[in-house]
Amino acid sequence: MKNPRHQGTPDSASASATAAQPEPRFSMEEAIARAGISERLLRQCEARGLVLGAFGSGYSHEHIGVLRFVRRAHALGFGMGDIARLLALRQDEHRMSAEVKSVALTRAEELESRIEELQATKRVLERLAGLCLGDHQPACPILDELLELRGFAFGPATASASDCRYAPASR
């Protein structure tokens, strides 16, 4: 009886046959589904060169991985410029993690600023809603305030009820 170790085992034969076969390619629809992204985001990635070599030949597993990375970074609010930078850092074996951290902290600071802006906007809307009687009359201090944009141009609004007119704004 022959020793199977001296002959090519089925595992080694299938591994060498698999290595010779080209990597599977996916259509645009399959890539979108596998990566969990929109066609628009895929097109943005292609336009920026983040997904190379996909034109005409389909998308590889590597492309899908890049697209998933983009989806996750996009969900964290990174813009395409920062995403491209993060991908470049990911591929750079000599990168310094401090660079990646800097990109993340810059995004966190941008979010903090945006949160402060949104909180100020919320306070203005709550103040305006407080000025409105909310009845069946046409007079609306909210619309009047929006028409004149008082309290918006110079920072957080501090207008009081006496600053708003209760008569409908003239056109």
Side-chain angles (χ1 to χ4, degrees):
M1 183 174 220
K2 294 182 182 180
N3 186 342
R5 283 188 224 172
H6 297 292
Q7 297 177 356
T9 62
D11 289 338
S12 65
S14 64
S16 62
T18 302
Q21 293 177 354
E23 181 181 11
R25 305 300 270 192
F26 305 100
S27 70
M28 180 178 67
E29 293 79 14
E30 290 173 315
I32 287 170
R34 287 175 178 266
I37 63 168
S38 66
E39 182 178 347
R40 181 175 180 232
L41 187 55
L42 173 65
R43 296 294 183 206
Q44 289 176 347
C45 291
E46 289 175 338
R48 286 195 168 259
L50 302 181
V51 178
L52 301 173
F55 302 106
S57 63
Y59 300 87
S60 67
H61 284 290
E62 183 179 338
H63 293 130
I64 304 299
V66 167
L67 294 171
R68 287 179 179 157
F69 181 98
V70 170
R71 181 193 72 216
R72 292 178 189 126
H74 192 261
L76 290 172
F78 287 104
M80 291 304 286
D82 283 337
I83 292 172
R85 184 171 176 208
L86 288 168
L87 277 169
L89 287 168
R90 177 181 166 253
Q91 294 169 350
D92 181 0
E93 294 178 8
H94 302 291
R95 70 179 169 265
M96 292 187 293
S97 63
E99 290 181 70
V100 179
K101 182 177 181 176
S102 174
V103 174
L105 288 176
T106 298
R107 179 64 191 138
E109 289 170 6
E110 292 167 356
L111 287 171
E112 182 63 34
S113 177
R114 183 71 178 132
I115 289 167
E116 290 171 8
E117 290 172 12
L118 289 170
Q119 288 173 336
T121 301
K122 178 181 178 263
R123 287 190 299 272
V124 169
L125 289 171
E126 288 171 340
R127 179 189 56 77
L128 289 173
L131 297 175
C132 182
L133 296 176
D135 58 15
H136 299 297
Q137 300 298 316
C140 182
I142 297 171
L143 296 177
D144 293 342
E145 181 80 7
L146 291 174
L147 180 64
E148 294 191 23
L149 297 176
R150 286 188 288 188
F152 290 92
F154 302 106
T158 57
S160 66
S162 62
D163 293 331
C164 289
R165 292 177 293 152
Y166 287 89
S170 60
R171 294 182 190 216

